[in-house]
Amino acid sequence: MDSRKLVQTLGQTLAPDTAKIKAATATLKSDFYPLPESLSVLLQLLVSDQGEPLRQLAATQARALIPRHWKSLPEDQRPQIRQHVLQKTLGEEQQLLRHSAARVITAIAKSDLEDGQWPDLFDTLIQAANSQTPRHRAVGTYVLFTTIEAFGEDMAAKIPQMLQVFSKTIRDTQSAEVKINSMLGVSRIAILLDGDDDEEVLKTVQDLIPHMVDILKQAVDAEDEDRTNQCFEVFQTLVGCDSVVLNKHFGNLLHFMINIAADSETEEDARTQALSFLINAVRFRKLKVQGLKIGEHLTLKALEIVPELGDLDLNDEEVTTARSALMLIDVLADSLPPSQVVVPLLHNLGPYVNSPDPDRRKAGVLALGTVVEGAPDFINTQLHEILPLVLRLFDDGDDNVRRAALDTIMRLAEDLAEEVGKQHAKLIPALVKHLDTAMHKLAGADDKQNLDTIKACCNAIDALGDGLDSEVITGYLPELFPRLSQLFTCPDLKTKAAAIGALGAMAESAEEGFAPYFEQAMNALASYVRIKDSEEELDLRCTTCDAMGAIALAVGAEPFQKYVRPLMEATEEGLHLDHPKLRETSFLFWGNMAKVYKNEFKPFLEGVVKAIFESLESAESDLDVELGEEAADLVGKEVIIGGKKVKVSAISDDDLVGADEIEDLDAMGDDDDDSDWGDLQTITAVAQEKEIAVEVVGDILTHVTSHYVPYIEKTVEIVLSLTEHSYEGVRRAAISTLYRLYAAVWGLQPEGSQNWKPGLPLQQKPKDEVSKLGEIIATATLALWDEEEDRATVTEINRNLAATLKLTGPSIIASPSHMKPLSEVILDILNKKHACQLDMGPLDSSNDALDPDPGFVESSEYDWMVIDTAFDIVAALAQALGPTFAEFYKVIEKPILRFASSSEAYERSTAVGVMAECIRGMGEAVTPYTFPLFKILMHRLQDEDAGTKSNAAFAVGLLILNSKDEKEIGKHFNTVLARLEPLMQTDEARMKDNAAGCVGRMIKGYQEKMPLRMVVPALVAVLPLGEDWEENAPVWDAVVHL
């Protein structure tokens, strides 16, 4: 091989000429790099006296070739090459070149050490790291870092010695680079640690954290961007390590980071990175953050930052300090209980929303909107104060404040549609007013401000649609329809799409009330069903098809009939236009057609099922990813990235890049090669498509059940495999569709087979094929449920299992092997110890302040949904098992009693309601539990919370009626009557109805103990019961009984 020509060709890639670079790169790949000698030449060039750019390029190319060619070099030459590279690197003055050469050393070491070669490397590196020469220390510490990075647990035996070195070099007084390298090395060691590791090693790492904080502070104060970024990278790594690593300093670290973020004199990049750390810390360590009670401090500090948003566009995705602060508030509201985030935010909102500074008013209303999704139930309790405030700011004199208030209205409507919808008389006119103003002022397609306002108004109307009754929304159609129709001709396609989306939402809510506008709407939308000349046109096509599906649901089968076939053809075409969202839209439209036409959808069923199955079965390993030498162990295997299976291929010539890519490649190395994965994020669209597709399968089989029978077996096979998908959205949709399938198949049985009786073993067995399907689904549920870490997926499992038990009885859990694991999962959830409820990593029982027992801490609203739906299962089990539920109640009695004694009203109310369902299900079998139940229920009859009192009245009545412990009941009889009396006069939370029902049950069970002359007139006086109709039954039973 002509080595001079290789060097010459390599040098040509440095020329400022794209054509020459491409030609030279092609020559290198075809003529030189396939030959082992090319590696030798590149390594010689690296240690030569050539110019820095050429040597830098040689280092990056050699590193990529080492796994392929190093062992092909003559064995007697390799020791000399190693020595030359190491010595040259130790003497290198330029940091970028030092780092690239250091990674060459690591690549050689990775190849050699596997074969027992280069045994003295580690000692040499330790010696270099302890050298009196700063440059040697920099190289030694950096290569130690890259070696740990490359070898991982294989370096475990060397960790104590390396920590001894890093403990010294992290305090280096001459070189900031040495300190940073030491931090990087320690962070890599931390990744390998867990709570069971050597205590001395763990203590050493923990003791180094304050030094790392000092180094970060120095870098931030010096405005050294590169070193600041490296330090933050280290702390992001540490927050993802085992919790024991940071526990000791966690609280101080949170305070340090929020102070950096709040300091307006600090560089913006450092502030956003500090906020990014806090966001991840809250996500991964929410129990520790909650235990420290620092949520309020973080929330209010973040709120102080938000006014810096100024005139920045709300929809702009650029990362800024103010946007990051809003994101932190969002994550805090999602992860922590309202008392630590939303309550202090509301208490401190006044100075912001009432400020003369529009930036502060805007900040206040934006922060308010940001916390809605994380705590909708609590926000709902404050809506009577929040909505007037938001509407006032919606009429603010500043455009930015009005736009922010509009954004908050939209968020409120999205998460609290029904409650916000009750205020339609104030909201709709306000939205129309601002929509009219913006449309009147609109000065063309470049008038961004007014276009944004129009889109936001349309989006708010869209969100409000879900919470309005058909009569209400029909009343607004005469003024809304003309305005939205006018926007269909707007030249801005995104504005047009917002108006069409709002129209679809209104149509779906209006139902038959939309009929007068039906033909006009369809004619106006028809021209957008086939557009496909740009990405924006395809987006508009998606919105149009979604709106037409909603219109079909509104007007029904007969009026929509003539549009069905053309739209089915258009949506089928949409599958082939290389637009993921349009594929999802096609599936969703088909699902809506199945809902509208039910069994009349049969002519389309075969083609629809075929297309959806093709999507669900589409190979997710058709993407070969080259991840470089760090992925050598994965070559030929499949990994999961972004919800898709990806095949990892060996290094190819494409890894060998031109000079214009040198800096990016070295930066990639310094960033732990994370950038190798960044470009793969777009493939999540495939997983998202599968999520929608499997949901639509559920819609179709539910509404076209009798004609779907031929596809059931294949559906089970495909959907069952998706319960193990890496993307939680697919798992969630798959489990839901399986339960919908079970309900559909259950409904196909003869009516006699559907009439189940409570209890196990089964007294009324379903047909064999139904039993088999139930066994399959229950087994899949238990396999996923126990270890699932995604809260929403666990919540979805809970909801589906509870609904299925109520519909089909105990058949789905009839196998003797199911009850024990089922009870264990429910118990874990009620004790807040399920995988989805814990911080990442184990709890550290040595620090109660940081790791409180999760069973005794207040829940965030999202966390509570997991528990609330688990209680739904408990109630459904009581109904399905009947008297045999008494054995299960033994298992869950303690957590139910604990929740019934909670300091949180919603927890008490829910637990008492579940107690009532348990009593009703058990019947006489409740007798052994009479004493503890009466003890807690008598307290709850005097609860400060109306809902809890009401549920307690319901539960007490059931307990008195069902329990045979007459002695215990007799002790409380008169007290119960006394505590029911004020409830009979209260029209809040169904108290009157439940109290009356309780009295009715008491009369039926113990007529002789009742003071009938006093009770009966009071009971008759509250009839008929108007809120809880079911409670009329025990009242009239009592009357008939008398």
Side-chain angles (χ1 to χ4, degrees):
M1 188 187 73
D2 189 339
S3 59
R4 294 178 66 181
K5 186 176 180 183
L6 188 158
V7 174
Q8 182 182 8
T9 307
L10 191 67
Q12 290 172 2
T13 64
L14 297 170
D17 186 322
T18 303
K20 285 185 178 181
I21 291 173
K22 288 183 177 179
T25 301
T27 300
L28 289 168
K29 291 178 179 179
S30 62
D31 296 352
F32 295 104
Y33 290 160
L35 304 174
E37 295 90 328
S38 63
L39 175 59
S40 180
V41 173
L42 289 170
L43 291 172
Q44 290 174 30
L45 181 56
L46 172 61
V47 300
S48 71
D49 294 328
Q50 292 278 0
E52 181 188 339
L54 193 60
R55 291 173 57 220
Q56 174 69 43
L57 182 57
T60 58
Q61 306 297 279
R63 177 187 170 198
L65 287 172
I66 285 168
R68 187 190 306 182
H69 292 321
W70 174 253
K71 292 183 180 179
S72 299
L73 296 182
E75 190 172 346
D76 59 343
Q77 293 182 15
R78 279 183 259 162
Q80 186 177 8
I81 294 173
R82 294 188 206 108
Q83 192 63 25
H84 283 174
V85 173
L86 181 57
Q87 292 304 316
K88 185 69 176 180
T89 304
L90 288 170
E92 181 56 54
E93 294 182 2
Q94 297 298 322
Q95 179 178 320
L96 184 61
L97 192 47
R98 277 202 303 273
H99 285 186
S100 296
R103 290 191 175 273
V104 169
I105 293 170
T106 302
I108 293 173
K110 190 165 180 62
S111 179
D112 278 354
L113 292 177
E114 292 170 355
D115 299 330
Q117 304 291 318
W118 211 356
D120 60 341
L121 173 62
F122 184 76
D123 292 337
T124 303
L125 295 176
I126 294 293
Q127 183 179 351
N130 285 315
S131 169
Q132 296 299 310
T133 305
R135 194 180 304 152
H136 291 183
R137 296 198 298 276
V139 172
T141 51
Y142 193 79
V143 179
L144 283 173
F145 152 60
T146 57
T147 302
I148 308 166
E149 183 182 51
F151 285 87
E153 293 183 356
D154 292 340
M155 294 293 291
K158 305 288 187 183
I159 285 178
Q161 194 173 354
M162 284 190 285
L163 276 178
Q164 186 178 5
V165 171
F166 289 142
S167 296
K168 177 182 177 183
T169 56
I170 206 167
R171 299 174 172 89
D172 199 296
T173 58
Q174 295 178 294
S175 170
E177 181 185 352
V178 172
K179 292 192 286 189
I180 296 290
N181 294 347
S182 303
M183 283 182 68
L184 291 168
V186 172
S187 72
R188 285 291 144 181
I189 290 172
I191 290 174
L192 304 177
L193 299 180
D194 60 43
D196 298 326
D197 276 306
D198 184 284
E199 289 186 9
E200 193 61 37
V201 169
L202 182 59
K203 184 178 184 303
T204 303
V205 172
Q206 291 174 330
D207 289 346
L208 292 176
I209 302 297
H211 297 289
M212 295 184 182
V213 172
D214 289 341
I215 295 168
L216 171 57
K217 187 175 186 306
Q218 291 164 13
V220 170
D221 291 344
E223 298 183 0
D224 187 329
E225 183 178 351
D226 289 341
R227 301 202 191 288
T228 298
N229 290 342
Q230 288 178 303
C231 290
F232 274 115
E233 176 194 332
V234 166
F235 281 103
Q236 291 284 17
T237 299
L238 292 175
V239 83
C241 294
D242 191 287
S243 59
V244 297
V245 173
L246 284 182
N247 261 1
K248 186 177 178 181
H249 305 286
F250 190 68
N252 290 336
L253 198 53
L254 296 180
H255 281 285
F256 173 72
M257 291 293 183
I258 194 63
N259 288 337
I260 288 179
D263 185 358
S264 59
E265 301 298 318
T266 299
E267 288 289 319
E268 176 151 30
D269 188 55
R271 299 174 70 198
T272 58
Q273 290 199 68
L275 289 165
S276 176
F277 171 86
L278 289 167
I279 288 167
N280 285 330
V282 174
R283 281 175 175 159
F284 296 148
R285 302 280 183 258
K286 61 183 179 183
L287 284 178
K288 295 176 181 60
V289 176
Q290 184 172 342
L292 286 165
K293 294 182 170 37
I294 197 175
E296 177 175 347
H297 179 69
L298 296 176
T299 300
L300 299 183
K301 279 285 192 179
L303 181 59
E304 291 175 8
I305 299 169
V306 180
E308 297 178 29
L309 192 63
D311 294 336
L312 289 175
D313 185 356
L314 293 176
N315 297 319
D316 195 334
E317 295 183 358
E318 179 188 356
V319 177
T320 67
T321 306
R323 288 199 183 94
S324 297
L326 279 172
M327 186 180 296
L328 175 59
I329 293 172
D330 183 22
V331 172
L332 285 163
D334 176 49
S335 303
L336 302 182
S339 62
Q340 291 199 17
V341 181
V342 184
V343 172
L345 178 75
L346 293 178
H347 284 166
N348 288 272
L349 216 51
Y352 288 86
V353 296
N354 297 316
S355 171
D357 180 357
D359 288 340
R360 287 178 66 81
R361 298 199 300 277
K362 176 181 177 180
V365 74
L366 277 178
L368 176 58
T370 299
V371 300
V372 173
E373 185 180 6
D377 290 343
F378 181 80
I379 291 293
N380 189 30
T381 66
Q382 308 300 310
L383 208 54
H384 61 288
E385 294 184 3
I386 289 174
L387 262 182
L389 166 65
V390 176
L391 285 170
R392 172 169 66 82
L393 293 172
F394 195 25
D395 276 329
D396 196 274
D398 183 86
D399 288 340
N400 288 318
V401 176
R402 290 197 302 273
R403 178 67 183 81
L406 181 53
D407 183 77
T408 296
I409 289 171
M410 184 172 64
R411 288 171 181 258
L412 287 165
E414 285 174 348
D415 289 290
L416 296 166
E418 187 174 338
E419 292 302 317
V420 173
K422 293 176 182 177
Q423 303 296 320
H424 60 84
K426 297 177 181 178
L427 287 168
I428 299 289
L431 289 169
V432 170
K433 170 187 170 183
H434 287 281
L435 182 63
D436 284 345
T437 302
M439 290 174 67
H440 179 72
K441 290 182 177 179
L442 186 62
D446 296 327
D447 185 353
K448 190 174 184 306
Q449 181 172 321
N450 283 307
L451 285 173
D452 284 348
T453 299
I454 292 170
K455 285 183 286 188
C457 286
C458 290
N459 290 336
I461 293 169
D462 188 338
L464 276 171
D466 290 338
L468 298 179
D469 293 334
S470 58
E471 298 82 4
V472 173
I473 195 67
T474 299
Y476 287 112
L477 283 175
E479 55 181 325
L480 287 175
F481 184 82
R483 291 171 169 83
L484 296 176
S485 300
Q486 183 180 339
L487 291 171
F488 294 170
T489 59
C490 177
D492 180 71
L493 297 188
K494 290 183 178 178
T495 303
K496 194 178 298 188
I500 292 172
L503 179 72
M506 287 196 312
E508 189 170 0
S509 293
E511 298 173 346
E512 297 89 347
F514 191 74
Y517 308 91
F518 169 57
E519 293 292 348
Q520 184 181 347
M522 294 300 290
N523 291 335
L525 299 179
S527 58
Y528 307 125
V529 172
R530 294 275 191 174
I531 55 175
K532 55 186 175 184
D533 291 340
S534 68
E535 195 73 17
E536 281 198 345
E537 283 195 356
L538 290 171
D539 288 339
L540 179 58
R541 178 171 173 165
C542 290
T543 305
T544 302
C545 290
D546 286 341
M548 287 183 164
I551 290 171
L553 292 171
V555 301
E558 187 175 344
F560 202 79
Q561 184 64 50
K562 68 179 180 179
Y563 299 101
V564 175
R565 188 163 294 277
L567 286 171
M568 290 298 292
E569 292 171 356
T571 50
E572 196 281 332
E573 179 196 41
L575 299 180
H576 311 291
L577 295 178
D578 194 27
H579 190 277
K581 185 71 170 67
L582 193 53
R583 292 176 60 83
E584 294 175 16
T585 293
S586 296
F587 296 152
L588 290 168
F589 182 81
W590 297 345
N592 282 335
M593 291 302 98
K595 293 175 187 176
V596 172
Y597 289 95
K598 297 181 171 56
N599 286 328
E600 293 178 27
F601 190 67
K602 182 183 177 182
F604 303 103
L605 191 58
E606 182 178 357
V608 164
V609 171
K610 181 176 182 291
I612 292 178
F613 280 4
E614 286 176 356
S615 170
L616 294 176
E617 292 186 299
S618 59
E620 295 190 57
S621 58
D622 54 349
L623 180 65
D624 285 350
V625 185
E626 296 164 359
L627 297 179
E629 62 190 70
E630 287 76 9
D633 294 338
L634 299 176
V635 170
K637 299 179 182 178
E638 290 182 342
V639 297
I640 302 296
I641 306 174
K644 186 171 182 179
K645 288 181 182 175
V646 178
K647 187 176 181 180
V648 180
S649 65
I651 276 184
S652 75
D653 291 336
D654 291 333
D655 289 302
L656 309 171
V657 296
D660 57 329
E661 300 176 68
I662 289 174
E663 290 189 7
D664 288 341
L665 199 151
D666 190 74
M668 178 185 76
D670 286 351
D671 288 338
D672 307 333
D673 295 324
D674 285 342
S675 59
D676 283 17
W677 303 75
D679 293 337
L680 302 175
Q681 292 176 356
T682 54
I683 63 174
T684 57
V686 178
Q688 289 170 337
E689 179 187 313
K690 290 192 174 186
E691 177 185 9
I692 298 298
V694 76
E695 286 176 356
V696 171
V697 168
D699 290 336
I700 294 171
L701 64 85
T702 298
H703 294 93
V704 198
T705 305
S706 59
H707 296 304
Y708 195 85
V709 172
Y711 310 104
I712 286 177
E713 185 174 347
K714 184 69 172 176
T715 300
V716 173
E717 176 189 335
I718 294 173
V719 178
L720 201 61
S721 67
L722 294 175
T723 62
E724 299 178 356
H725 199 278
S726 62
Y727 172 46
E728 64 274 9
V730 174
R731 296 196 300 275
R732 199 158 52 236
I735 206 75
S736 175
T737 294
L738 285 173
Y739 277 96
R740 294 179 76 178
L741 177 60
Y742 185 75
V745 172
W746 180 272
L748 291 175
Q749 298 179 107
E751 188 171 338
S753 297
Q754 296 182 44
N755 295 328
W756 57 272
K757 295 181 179 179
L760 287 176
L762 294 179
Q763 300 178 53
Q764 173 75 45
K765 293 186 177 181
K767 298 186 73 173
D768 289 345
E769 57 267 31
V770 178
S771 294
K772 182 179 178 181
L773 179 60
E775 172 69 20
I776 290 170
I777 294 173
T779 301
T781 297
L782 291 171
L784 173 63
W785 200 17
D786 183 36
E787 298 182 356
E788 177 59 59
E789 295 182 358
D790 177 62
R791 287 178 297 180
T793 303
V794 174
T795 300
E796 189 68 19
I797 293 172
N798 295 350
R799 284 174 175 155
N800 279 281
L801 180 55
T804 302
L805 287 167
K806 289 177 181 178
L807 175 67
T808 67
S811 60
I812 199 166
I813 56 168
S815 171
S817 63
H818 289 158
M819 279 304 297
K820 185 174 185 295
L822 182 147
S823 61
E824 289 173 349
V825 174
I826 292 175
L827 194 60
D828 278 347
I829 293 173
L830 297 183
N831 286 325
K832 301 185 183 180
K833 292 183 179 180
H834 188 274
C836 74
Q837 296 168 299
L838 300 178
D839 283 355
M840 189 176 65
L843 295 175
D844 176 13
S845 59
S846 66
N847 195 332
D848 293 337
L850 289 179
D851 286 307
D853 183 338
F856 293 91
V857 296
E858 186 184 357
S859 303
S860 72
E861 288 195 11
Y862 273 141
D863 287 330
W864 174 247
M865 287 173 64
V866 178
I867 298 167
D868 193 27
T869 51
F871 272 137
D872 289 342
I873 297 176
V874 172
L877 281 170
Q879 180 181 340
L881 297 179
T884 59
F885 177 77
E887 286 300 309
F888 181 80
Y889 185 77
K890 286 181 184 176
V891 176
I892 58 166
E893 181 182 20
K894 285 185 179 179
I896 289 180
L897 292 174
R898 188 180 72 238
F899 277 110
S901 302
S902 167
S903 60
E904 294 298 321
Y906 64 88
E907 293 186 356
R908 297 195 304 275
S909 176
T910 301
V912 172
V914 171
M915 280 181 181
E917 296 301 331
C918 292
I919 295 166
R920 177 153 58 179
M922 284 188 279
E924 291 184 9
V926 75
T927 301
Y929 305 105
T930 304
F931 173 74
L933 285 169
F934 246 126
K935 183 178 180 181
I936 187 69
L937 290 174
M938 294 304 289
H939 283 297
R940 297 288 74 90
L941 273 175
Q942 294 182 302
D943 200 280
E944 62 185 23
D945 175 64
T948 304
K949 265 193 291 201
S950 180
N951 286 346
F954 178 51
V956 166
L958 289 168
L959 184 59
I960 290 174
L961 181 65
N962 287 284
S963 174
K964 297 306 176 185
D965 189 346
E966 296 182 8
K967 182 178 179 182
E968 186 63 30
I969 291 172
K971 293 179 185 176
H972 303 284
F973 214 83
N974 291 332
T975 307
V976 170
L977 284 172
R979 292 181 183 177
L980 288 175
E981 185 177 0
L983 274 61
M984 296 274 284
Q985 313 302 319
T986 307
D987 289 322
E988 184 182 1
R990 305 188 315 280
M991 269 196 272
K992 180 188 294 184
D993 302 53
N994 280 330
C998 181
V999 171
R1001 292 182 177 97
M1002 292 172 76
I1003 291 173
K1004 188 172 181 181
Y1006 292 89
Q1007 177 182 335
E1008 71 283 357
K1009 291 182 177 291
M1010 294 291 287
L1012 295 177
R1013 291 181 180 276
M1014 296 172 56
V1015 170
V1016 172
L1019 187 60
V1020 172
V1022 301
L1023 296 178
L1025 303 179
E1027 284 191 274
D1028 193 336
W1029 289 96
E1030 289 185 6
E1031 291 306 281
N1032 278 295
V1035 173
W1036 288 111
D1037 276 352
V1039 172
V1040 171
H1041 179 73
L1042 290 173

